[in-house]
Amino acid sequence: MPDTGGGYRWVREGLPRPNSFLSGWMSWFAHTIAGSLYAVAFAAFFAHLLTTTNLIQPSPLFEKGLAALAIVIFTFINVRGTSPTSKVGNVITITQITIIGVLIVAALVAMVFTNPSWPDNFTNFFPKGMSGLVIAMGLTFIAFEGYEVIAQTGNELKNPKKNIPRAILISLCVVIAIYILFTFSFIGGLSSETYDQPSWQFIGSHGEIGIIEAAKDFLPFGALIVIAGGLVSTLAALNATTYSSSRVSYAMGTHYNLPHLFGRIHSKYKTPAISTIASGLIMLFMAITLDLTEIAFAASVMFLFLFAQVNYAAITIRRLYGKKLDYKLQNSILPTNSYTWSPFCRGPFSVFVIYPAPKLGNCNYLDSDWLCNLQVLHLKKRN
């Protein structure tokens, strides 16, 4: 069912109507909350950059204004159409991959040549027990919500039955590999003896700037490189969530779960301009009124409730429609989609960073949205 709406569309087809109404609102607000999270995180990285370079000492009001400016800019880009949206996302993604590659190589070199006792950093693999693992998985679930961005493009792709599953699988494999390699190299590269505490505890104790502090040990300008990567990462994620949130509200408008004007297409740009602007306004409100931790928690909870319905709908759709649908991707072992099991791949590594200080600057530095931007670009668009 390649169609605009993503998870909302699945729930509408597979579960009773009240569920589709609730899932639509959950999906819309979850994506807009996530967008505000990335805008606030971008402002935090930029403010830290100004502080590190001793240019100015930014105030909280300055950070809020910067987050608002980022939201306005990307709302305008998304109103203009998917072509400029994807081009911007492509430039950001390539830059980010380069920065991540440099950081991974530097951390691995430090692990091999300067920290011979690096295996000791992994001896106590679950320092907070299973409860810490579960908490880490729940709070970092938002890092995997980006794959729905690909499904949101169903009405704007050629051959979506072939391209959407391919893009999701490629993104999933590459992102999980980078998540694991990045976290493994940073935890292993730090010497616990130097800081008189485990490396995961050192990173976590610094909250959202933990990776920045760790990178200082790996590269002469490691902190600046991480900040640059953080700026690029949050912009890529903001671009993707602005796009996806507008498509959810557009789908709800066409089904009259929102006022029908949300389902209107701009005559010139051929985009759901009203839905995009409405999503941007919600992002602005959230970014200005809430702090980073509260936004991250709210987004993760929303996505957990949403994808619980999506996974159940994936089972009921096969039961309801059987062979009436053309299943391009067969999945006979797990009757659910990647949202269910993807956090389990990352969970053991998430617990090292997220539990001591549950702030999303550390754990969401590598969000799946950025790679989804690249995948969407390579799928041919109608407009």
Side-chain angles (χ1 to χ4, degrees), residues 363-381:
C363 60
N364 256 8
Y365 171 64
L366 301 174
D367 194 273
S368 59
D369 283 328
W370 57 267
L371 190 65
C372 295
N373 281 335
L374 186 62
Q375 289 295 331
V376 169
L377 175 73
H378 290 294
L379 306 179
K380 302 297 184 182
K381 300 166 187 65

Side-chain angles (χ1 to χ4, degrees), residues 32-51:
T32 53
I33 291 170
S36 64
L37 164 67
Y38 301 133
V40 172
F42 164 76
F45 274 114
F46 195 85
H48 194 78
L49 174 63
L50 296 177
T51 302

Side-chain angles (χ1 to χ4, degrees), residues 60-296:
L61 183 61
F62 175 84
E63 292 188 31
K64 294 293 185 181
L66 192 60
L69 178 62
I71 292 172
V72 170
I73 290 174
F74 279 96
T75 299
F76 175 75
I77 291 173
N78 278 268
V79 168
R80 292 292 302 271
T82 55
S83 181
T85 298
S86 296
K87 289 178 181 178
V88 171
N90 186 42
V91 172
I92 293 174
T93 298
I94 293 174
T95 304
Q96 186 180 28
I97 291 176
T98 304
I99 293 172
I100 291 170
V102 170
L103 292 171
I104 290 176
V105 170
L108 289 175
V109 169
M111 185 174 68
V112 173
F113 294 102
T114 66
N115 187 25
S117 61
W118 66 266
D120 296 339
N121 292 348
F122 299 94
T123 52
N124 185 14
F125 200 70
F126 295 100
K128 299 296 182 179
M130 290 303 298
S131 61
L133 175 64
V134 172
I135 292 174
M137 287 163 53
L139 289 175
T140 58
F141 190 85
I142 189 177
F144 288 91
E145 60 86 17
Y147 303 105
E148 195 192 16
V149 177
I150 298 175
Q152 297 282 7
T153 63
N155 277 351
E156 302 168 71
L157 301 180
K158 290 183 178 180
N159 197 6
K161 289 184 179 179
K162 175 183 177 181
N163 288 327
I164 288 179
R166 182 176 62 181
I168 290 176
L169 288 175
I170 293 174
S171 298
L172 183 66
C173 293
V174 174
V175 167
I176 288 178
I178 293 179
Y179 277 157
I180 294 176
L181 185 59
F182 186 90
T183 310
F184 174 81
S185 60
F186 264 66
I187 291 176
L190 290 176
S191 174
S192 299
E193 288 79 8
T194 302
Y195 299 102
D196 294 325
Q197 60 180 330
S199 57
W200 62 267
Q201 200 171 60
F202 171 79
I203 296 174
S205 64
H206 286 85
E208 60 267 16
I209 63 171
I211 296 297
I212 297 175
E213 295 299 319
K216 292 179 180 178
D217 274 13
F218 304 144
L219 290 169
F221 300 99
L224 293 179
I225 293 175
V226 174
I227 292 173
L231 292 172
V232 173
S233 301
T234 50
L235 287 179
L238 175 59
N239 185 38
T241 50
T242 303
Y243 173 89
S244 58
S245 63
S246 65
R247 268 48 182 186
V248 174
S249 55
Y250 164 75
M252 293 176 67
T254 59
H255 297 145
Y256 294 93
N257 284 324
L258 281 175
H260 193 56
L261 61 90
F262 281 82
R264 294 179 182 174
I265 298 296
H266 194 280
S267 58
K268 179 180 179 180
Y269 301 124
K270 307 302 180 184
T271 60
I274 294 177
S275 296
T276 304
I277 294 172
S279 298
L281 291 174
I282 296 175
M283 290 182 196
L284 275 175
F285 175 78
M286 298 290 292
I288 293 173
T289 58
L290 298 178
D291 66 22
L292 190 65
T293 305
E294 291 173 340
I295 296 173

